[in-house]
Amino acid sequence: MAGELESLELCLERYIPPQDLAEVKRILYGGETRKLSLPVAALSSAQERDFELQGYGFDAAPEQLRRPRIVRVGLVQNKIPLPTDTAVAVQVAALHRRIEEIVEVAAMCGVNIICFQEAWTMPFAFCTREKLPWTEFAESAEDGLTTKFCQELAKKYDMVVVSPILERDEIHGGTLWNTAVVISNSGAILGKSRKNHIPRVGDFNESTYYMEGNMGHPVFQTQFGTIAVNICFGRHHPLNWLMYSLNGAEIIFNPSATIGTLSESLWPIEARNAAIANHCFTCPINRVGTEYYKNAFTSGDGGKAHHDLGHFYGSSYVAAPDGSRTPGLSRTRDGLLVVEMDLNLCRQVSDKWNFKMTGRFEMYADKLAEAVQPCFTPNIIRE
Amino acid sequence: MAGELESLELCLERYIPPQDLAEVKRILYGGETRKLSLPVAALSSAQERDFELQGYGFDAAPEQLRRPRIVRVGLVQNKIPLPTDTAVAVQVAALHRRIEEIVEVAAMCGVNIICFQEAWTMPFAFCTREKLPWTEFAESAEDGLTTKFCQELAKKYDMVVVSPILERDEIHGGTLWNTAVVISNSGAILGKSRKNHIPRVGDFNESTYYMEGNMGHPVFQTQFGTIAVNICFGRHHPLNWLMYSLNGAEIIFNPSATIGTLSESLWPIEARNAAIANHCFTCPINRVGTEYYKNAFTSGDGGKAHHDLGHFYGSSYVAAPDGSRTPGLSRTRDGLLVVEMDLNLCRQVSDKWNFKMTGRFEMYADKLAEAVQPCFTPNIIRE
């Protein structure tokens, strides 16, 4: 992508001398994250297949009664490989192939749980407000082609797969949802989780297509750890993260699709804040590149009709409960981020900072219940 | 402070060339914040009095029906001027004098609302767990010497003063509280706000001295804007920020005392996340320097007894509802940060992002009420 900075972290590393860089990283990121040594074959496969491969690790202190609970997660960010006016089935097949070659490398890196980007089987076409052909990308979460494809991957690589798709819910009137399907490493469908908060901002006209999720905040106990999926716009809602955490999630994925001019200064803040506030790992994922549409559309900003909604800036990363984080993947390239984490860190940080113990949730349950009443009187003190 | 980096922002500016620096600042801070032109007399007074003076401004779009609502806030960070074993009354008097000379400069800069750091009239002695002499720093919020001193300042300079102190509550058994007194620019006491969340982490043994605040989330409608005070550890609790915002706060101050090894990688994240999530301005303030105690104490980390709790790293800043922020004040020097803001930006950003409209607070009120029940069953899905 001409003119786009490839990565904030590479830029800092290029210019800042080592002694100051260490201090800058400590203040910005909570220190230098341990680099993972990844297999040479995986690194060369990634290079051949033209995607970035990075690996980092988070450690925890040894305990007497619990063994380390080491898990490797994989975050995948990618461009759409074909133009948006290619036939729907052809686009989907091309995305399946692209993901297949990335997942193969993830398996070589020992990834246990992998998550793809939001609505990964399609262009993020909700900017157009057109229904056809975009709604044709919707699939059944239970027996759609993409779910079957992910079940095969899960079995083949003994890997939990989180597959965020546009869901067609046939047994409820054929409605659409923005849904993540969670597939066990056995290949069985563990369940699904729906996007709880739907944007009405800029080109993100998603409420034209689907409503707020009606499944609450399920968490999924996998062989490798307890996970949840907070889809895209839910990233902006601290209570959404909190409820996944109160249900027991130790890793919360945040598959997203968001562009530079809208949200890039929020991106490093919100998921990381959620990891801190909830003593868990968070994994925000964003797609990459610019997607062009044949029919022009406006953006609700008074500007002229145009054919794209801007640059999806990638920058997927993992934040740890201790406030540290990995560098982000590229702003411009497809990528796989492999992160090893000892899940024991969650409880260790919780016992240190005690945000749940000191959270006074009972008071807030009462206060929120008051605040939503039509007759609510804010607590304003006047002279 | 030998060995301490003076400021993250100065370090970035020193090394990164201009074209990349602009992009780094956009990604890290949401862009370059407008610099305020401050009076020469104020700048030279600050230099004479040995404190940093910085000024920035946040703008909003013009509206048809509302005039711009411009306010200037002042954030004060400072070291304790005298050793901690000086007589209590002498330490307090020295702090009054130091603040007086900073507030005078704030007045020259047109500051309308000023906020001092947490427990500003004393060393942050709660690491010691000793009661005397530290509890002698406690004062009545209503008619203590410090409140009277602040009332004089408020009247003299036509300035709202937020004065966080250790409060002695005589009418309730002489209990202590960590309290901010809010004084109108008329000199009248508008009210007070108590620290809602009390830390039990590292050297922050504050629950030895005072309990969780019992005043809820009051906001204060001043002539210049509607403000609230989220004291220190409440910064880590997204629900605390939310309730101040639901009560109508457009500016939330966060007077704090926190040290580098504990929280510095959290500092740029939490208050900024709160500004984003709640469509308001947030103003985190941290004291500066290292405070030494005659009697050694331990830190609950298995280490040897020692005489200080580490370096308070200053770095006070203001975050705006659009996700942008000012650079931080110095990590090592006393300072005054003057920030001009058009409060119309709050509603403009709220109308753009709609986090309150899309917040589903009714659902969360119910879910939180369930989650705090002893019989709560988390929503965990197993294979």
Side-chain angles (χ1 to χ4, degrees):
Chain A
M1 180 76 195
E4 290 288 344
L5 189 75
E6 190 187 341
S7 146
L8 176 66
E9 290 76 18
L10 287 178
C11 183
L12 298 178
E13 284 177 5
R14 183 173 307 135
Y15 297 117
I16 302 176
Q19 73 284 6
D20 283 344
L21 184 63
E23 192 66 355
V24 164
K25 286 191 176 175
R26 183 184 70 78
I27 295 173
L28 276 182
Y29 297 134
E32 182 91 54
T33 317
R34 173 169 63 83
K35 278 223 171 201
L36 273 192
S37 166
L38 297 175
V40 175
L43 291 162
S44 65
S45 289
Q47 200 169 7
E48 277 163 31
R49 295 165 188 189
D50 192 23
F51 67 87
E52 183 188 13
L53 174 59
Q54 296 284 346
Y56 297 95
F58 294 102
D59 304 310
E63 300 183 16
Q64 295 190 22
L65 300 183
R66 295 195 302 181
R67 285 188 214 166
R69 292 185 298 134
I70 308 294
V71 53
R72 285 199 178 188
V73 303
L75 280 59
V76 180
Q77 65 176 38
N78 59 281
K79 300 187 199 68
I80 51 169
L82 294 178
T84 60
D85 57 353
T86 313
V88 168
V90 177
Q91 288 190 62
V92 173
L95 277 156
H96 283 196
R97 280 198 303 277
R98 181 59 170 158
I99 287 300
E100 192 166 27
E101 62 184 11
I102 297 177
V103 172
E104 189 180 28
V105 173
M108 294 160 76
C109 297
V111 164
N112 307 115
I113 308 174
I114 200 159
C115 182
F116 310 138
Q117 65 198 18
E118 183 184 18
W120 73 270
T121 63
M122 61 182 292
F124 210 74
F126 312 115
C127 49
T128 64
R129 299 197 310 281
E130 300 161 2
K131 296 298 166 93
L132 287 174
W134 317 119
T135 54
E136 292 197 75
F137 284 92
E139 299 184 40
S140 159
E142 286 73 25
D143 50 19
L145 273 183
T146 294
T147 295
K148 288 188 199 306
F149 166 78
C150 291
Q151 289 180 286
E152 290 305 316
L153 290 178
K155 264 192 294 197
K156 180 171 179 187
Y157 296 121
D158 190 25
M159 202 184 284
V160 172
V161 176
V162 179
S163 169
I165 60 169
L166 184 62
E167 180 192 6
R168 174 77 70 185
D169 181 9
E170 290 293 1
I171 62 168
H172 293 99
T175 48
L176 299 179
W177 299 99
N178 187 313
T179 300
V181 185
V182 179
I183 296 157
S184 168
N185 53 319
S186 71
I189 298 171
L190 255 177
K192 60 189 179 184
S193 185
R194 286 178 175 151
K195 184 168 178 169
N196 276 327
H197 299 269
I198 308 298
R200 287 93 165 146
V201 51
D203 277 322
F204 293 83
N205 299 306
E206 299 168 49
S207 69
T208 304
Y209 297 86
Y210 41 78
M211 300 285 281
E212 282 72 14
N214 60 352
M215 302 191 68
H217 299 80
V219 307
F220 303 93
Q221 187 173 308
T222 77
Q223 183 186 318
F224 310 109
T226 306
I227 67 173
V229 197
N230 174 353
I231 303 176
C232 197
F233 198 67
R235 183 175 64 256
H236 308 297
H237 291 277
L239 278 159
N240 199 37
W241 295 102
L242 174 66
M243 280 313 306
Y244 290 117
S245 171
L246 289 179
N247 280 323
E250 294 179 300
I251 306 169
I252 308 179
F253 294 97
N254 174 235
S256 301
T258 184
I259 55 168
T261 48
L262 184 67
S263 69
E264 194 160 2
S265 64
L266 284 54
W267 182 255
I269 303 298
E270 296 167 309
R272 191 164 161 212
N273 190 74
I276 296 166
N278 299 297
H279 310 308
C280 66
F281 290 93
T282 61
C283 308
I285 300 168
N286 186 22
R287 65 173 61 203
V288 193
T290 304
E291 303 177 349
Y292 296 94
Y293 297 95
K294 202 169 158 184
N295 301 329
F297 55 89
T298 55
S299 291
D301 58 2
K304 281 196 177 161
H306 49 279
H307 295 269
D308 71 275
L309 49 52
H311 177 66
F312 293 102
Y313 54 82
S315 307
S316 306
Y317 68 94
V318 172
D322 63 2
S324 66
R325 57 159 284 185
T326 70
L329 284 179
S330 163
R331 298 181 66 258
T332 57
R333 295 183 64 204
D334 288 9
L336 168 65
L337 180 63
V338 177
V339 177
E340 181 178 280
M341 41 184 80
D342 183 345
L343 296 179
N344 284 353
L345 187 61
C346 300
R347 197 173 80 181
Q348 288 175 15
V349 173
S350 179
D351 284 350
K352 174 183 176 185
W353 277 104
N354 302 307
F355 296 152
K356 293 227 170 68
M357 181 177 97
T358 60
R360 307 184 74 181
F361 299 128
E362 191 153 7
M363 171 177 77
Y364 290 110
D366 291 345
K367 293 210 173 242
L368 264 184
E370 284 171 31
V372 296
Q373 294 305 316
C375 59
F376 173 56
T377 309
N379 184 1
I380 300 180
I381 296 167
R382 296 177 177 83
E383 191 164 354
Chain B
M1 181 77 196
E4 291 287 345
L5 188 77
E6 190 187 339
S7 146
L8 176 67
E9 290 77 18
L10 288 178
C11 182
L12 298 178
E13 284 177 4
R14 183 173 308 134
Y15 296 117
I16 300 177
Q19 73 284 8
D20 283 343
L21 185 62
E23 193 65 355
V24 164
K25 284 190 177 175
R26 183 184 70 79
I27 296 173
L28 276 181
Y29 296 135
E32 182 92 52
T33 318
R34 173 169 61 84
K35 278 223 171 201
L36 272 191
S37 167
L38 297 175
V40 176
L43 290 162
S44 66
S45 288
Q47 197 169 11
E48 276 163 31
R49 295 165 189 190
D50 191 23
F51 66 88
E52 184 187 12
L53 173 59
Q54 296 283 347
Y56 297 95
F58 294 102
D59 303 309
E63 300 182 15
Q64 294 191 23
L65 299 183
R66 296 195 302 181
R67 284 188 214 168
R69 293 185 298 134
I70 308 292
V71 53
R72 286 199 177 188
V73 302
L75 280 59
V76 181
Q77 66 176 38
N78 59 281
K79 300 187 199 70
I80 52 169
L82 293 178
T84 60
D85 58 353
T86 313
V88 167
V90 177
Q91 288 189 62
V92 173
L95 276 157
H96 282 195
R97 280 197 303 276
R98 182 59 170 157
I99 288 299
E100 192 165 27
E101 61 185 13
I102 297 177
V103 172
E104 190 180 27
V105 173
M108 294 160 75
C109 297
V111 164
N112 307 114
I113 307 174
I114 200 160
C115 182
F116 311 139
Q117 65 199 18
E118 183 183 19
W120 73 270
T121 62
M122 62 183 292
F124 211 74
F126 312 115
C127 49
T128 65
R129 300 196 311 279
E130 301 162 1
K131 296 299 167 94
L132 287 174
W134 317 119
T135 54
E136 292 197 77
F137 283 93
E139 298 184 40
S140 160
E142 286 72 27
D143 50 19
L145 273 182
T146 294
T147 295
K148 288 188 199 305
F149 165 78
C150 292
Q151 289 180 287
E152 290 306 316
L153 289 179
K155 264 191 295 198
K156 183 171 177 187
Y157 296 120
D158 189 25
M159 202 184 284
V160 173
V161 176
V162 180
S163 169
I165 60 168
L166 183 62
E167 179 192 6
R168 174 76 71 183
D169 180 9
E170 290 294 0
I171 62 167
H172 293 98
T175 48
L176 299 179
W177 299 97
N178 186 314
T179 300
V181 185
V182 179
I183 296 156
S184 167
N185 54 318
S186 71
I189 299 171
L190 255 178
K192 61 189 178 185
S193 185
R194 285 176 177 154
K195 184 169 180 168
N196 276 328
H197 300 269
I198 308 298
R200 288 90 165 147
V201 50
D203 277 322
F204 292 82
N205 299 305
E206 298 167 50
S207 68
T208 305
Y209 297 87
Y210 42 78
M211 299 286 280
E212 281 73 13
N214 60 353
M215 302 191 70
H217 299 79
V219 308
F220 303 93
Q221 187 174 309
T222 77
Q223 183 187 319
F224 310 108
T226 305
I227 67 173
V229 197
N230 174 352
I231 303 175
C232 197
F233 197 68
R235 183 176 64 255
H236 307 297
H237 293 278
L239 279 159
N240 199 36
W241 295 103
L242 174 66
M243 281 312 308
Y244 290 117
S245 170
L246 290 179
N247 280 322
E250 294 179 301
I251 306 169
I252 307 179
F253 294 98
N254 174 235
S256 300
T258 184
I259 56 168
T261 50
L262 184 67
S263 69
E264 193 160 2
S265 65
L266 284 55
W267 183 254
I269 303 297
E270 295 167 310
R272 192 164 159 213
N273 190 75
I276 295 166
N278 299 297
H279 309 309
C280 65
F281 290 93
T282 61
C283 307
I285 300 168
N286 186 22
R287 64 173 61 204
V288 193
T290 304
E291 304 177 349
Y292 296 93
Y293 297 96
K294 203 168 158 184
N295 301 329
F297 55 90
T298 55
S299 292
D301 58 3
K304 281 196 177 163
H306 49 278
H307 295 268
D308 72 274
L309 50 53
H311 177 66
F312 293 102
Y313 54 82
S315 307
S316 306
Y317 68 94
V318 172
D322 62 2
S324 67
R325 55 158 287 185
T326 70
L329 284 178
S330 164
R331 298 181 67 258
T332 56
R333 295 183 65 203
D334 288 10
L336 167 65
L337 179 63
V338 177
V339 177
E340 181 177 280
M341 42 185 79
D342 182 344
L343 296 179
N344 284 354
L345 188 61
C346 300
R347 198 174 77 180
Q348 288 175 14
V349 174
S350 179
D351 285 350
K352 173 183 177 185
W353 278 104
N354 302 308
F355 296 152
K356 294 227 170 69
M357 181 177 98
T358 60
R360 308 185 71 182
F361 298 128
E362 191 152 8
M363 171 177 77
Y364 289 110
D366 291 346
K367 293 211 172 239
L368 264 184
E370 284 169 30
V372 297
Q373 294 305 316
C375 59
F376 172 57
T377 308
N379 183 1
I380 300 181
I381 295 167
R382 296 176 178 84
E383 191 165 354

